[in-house]
């Protein structure tokens, strides 16, 4: 009898425990307003992570083109060689720019070294004139916004052109001439135009330089910001 009573009590208790409590309710919160939360959400700046991109102050340029030179004569040990320069001669330049001021456009200094040569043939001798243009000066760049894709620039330089004539020993000589020069150019940002997607800003430059002795140089090349 006690056993039956125990079984009945256990079953009845289990049923009562399993029965749901009608008073138990899960509260439903206020419906979220996504539009309002989005408009009111403000992200704080983390300076260690969010950094504004700054324009590079250093730039290297490699320019190739041609030079139009006036006729020149070189004398060595009583021997005179005349270079008519009837045709344009190829010229290569390596140029370095450092921009110091970025207030209204960009202003800085530049230095470059170039190379060209011309060969002279005559009956009994052959000579080669090596030309090494060196210059230093100031550069102004018309870059006013960080998204500007086309930028004109002006370079004013002091030029020292060194000429080495080489051939037979009696024709070897060297001399240098100093000039003032002004160069006008335009730079096209390949990154901002969408042609390249490189880590460093890459450009294409077209430049015309005029020397005070009426010689001039026209060059096209590329530039990379550092």
């Amino acid at each position: 009898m006690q056993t039956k009573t125990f079984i009945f009590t256990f079953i009845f208790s289990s049923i009562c425990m399993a029965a749901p409590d009608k008073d138990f309710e899960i509260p439903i919160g206020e419906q979220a307003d996504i539009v309002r939360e989005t408009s009111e959400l403000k992200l704080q700046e983390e300076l260690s992570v969010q950094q504004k991109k700054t324009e590079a102050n250093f730039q290297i340029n490699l320019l190739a083109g041609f030079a139009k030179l006036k006729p020149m004569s070189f004398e060595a040990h009583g021997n005179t060689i005349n270079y008519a320069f009837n045709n344009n001669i190829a010229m290569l330049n390596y140029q370095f720019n450092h921009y110091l001021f970025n207030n209204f456009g960009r202003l800085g200094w530049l230095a470059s070294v170039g190379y060209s040569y011309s060969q002279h043939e005559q009956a009994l001798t052959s000579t080669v004139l090596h030309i090494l243009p060196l210059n230093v000066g100031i550069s102004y760049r018309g870059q006013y916004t960080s998204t500007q894709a086309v930028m004109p620039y002006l370079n004013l330089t002091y030029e020292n052109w060194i000429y080495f004539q080489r051939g037979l020993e009696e024709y070897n000589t060297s001399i240098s001439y100093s000039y003032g020069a002004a160069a006008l150019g335009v730079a096209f940002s390949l990154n901002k135009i969408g042609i390249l997607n490189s880590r460093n800003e890459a450009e294409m430059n077209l430049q015309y330089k005029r020397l005070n002795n009426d010689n001039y140089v026209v060059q096209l090349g590329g530039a990379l910001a550092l």
Side-chain angles (χ1 to χ4, degrees), residues 190-192 194-200 202:
L190 301 180
N191 295 70
K192 295 182 176 69
I195 298 177
L196 289 181
N197 186 21
S198 58
R199 180 176 180 180
N200 296 87

Side-chain angles (χ1 to χ4, degrees), residues 74-90:
F74 294 86
E75 183 177 350
H77 308 289
N79 301 301
T80 301
I81 298 294
N82 298 312
Y83 294 87
F85 294 122
N86 293 324
N87 299 318
N88 297 331
I89 60 174

Side-chain angles (χ1 to χ4, degrees), residues 21-206:
D21 188 351
K22 294 182 180 181
D23 295 333
F24 178 77
E25 294 182 357
I26 300 176
I28 300 177
E30 181 182 356
Q31 187 175 0
D33 188 343
I34 302 299
V35 176
R36 181 178 59 82
E37 292 182 2
T38 302
S39 62
E40 293 181 356
L41 182 63
K42 295 182 180 178
L43 297 178
Q44 295 181 350
E45 284 190 1
E46 178 56 51
L47 297 180
S48 61
V49 178
Q50 299 175 355
Q51 296 181 353
K52 296 182 179 179
K53 183 180 178 181
T54 58
E55 296 293 335
N57 292 326
F58 299 95
Q59 192 178 59
I60 56 174
N61 301 264
L62 186 62
L63 302 168
F66 65 88
K68 179 61 177 177
L69 305 182
K70 296 173 63 176
M72 300 182 69
S73 297
F74 294 86
E75 183 177 350
H77 308 289
N79 301 301
T80 301
I81 298 294
N82 298 312
Y83 294 87
F85 294 122
N86 293 324
N87 299 318
N88 297 331
I89 60 174
M91 179 165 286
L92 184 70
N93 275 87
Y94 173 82
Q95 181 175 296
F96 176 82
N97 291 66
H98 181 198
Y99 294 104
L100 302 172
F101 306 100
N102 302 323
N103 294 330
F104 185 73
R106 313 192 72 190
L107 181 66
W109 64 273
L110 67 92
S112 78
V113 57
Y115 176 75
S116 185
Y117 76 95
S118 180
Q119 190 167 355
H120 180 81
E121 299 283 351
Q122 60 184 32
L124 300 177
T125 186
S126 174
T127 60
V128 176
L129 184 67
H130 302 276
I131 306 172
L132 191 68
L134 307 173
N135 71 60
V136 63
I138 60 174
S139 177
Y140 174 76
R141 180 182 174 98
Q143 183 176 356
Y144 309 108
T145 66
S146 60
T147 59
Q148 190 173 338
V150 180
M151 295 145 289
Y153 63 86
L154 170 66
N155 298 335
L156 299 176
T157 55
Y158 167 79
E159 310 264 336
N160 187 27
W161 288 44
I162 306 173
Y163 300 87
F164 299 93
Q165 181 175 271
R166 292 295 180 264
L168 297 177
E169 183 65 28
E170 58 267 27
Y171 289 92
N172 291 347
T173 186
S174 62
I175 194 171
S176 66
Y177 292 101
S178 297
Y179 312 107
L184 290 174
V186 59
F188 303 90
S189 172
L190 301 180
N191 295 70
K192 295 182 176 69
I193 293 175
I195 298 177
L196 289 181
N197 186 21
S198 58
R199 180 176 180 180
N200 296 87
E201 191 81 12
E203 296 177 354
M204 179 175 291
N205 294 344
L206 178 62

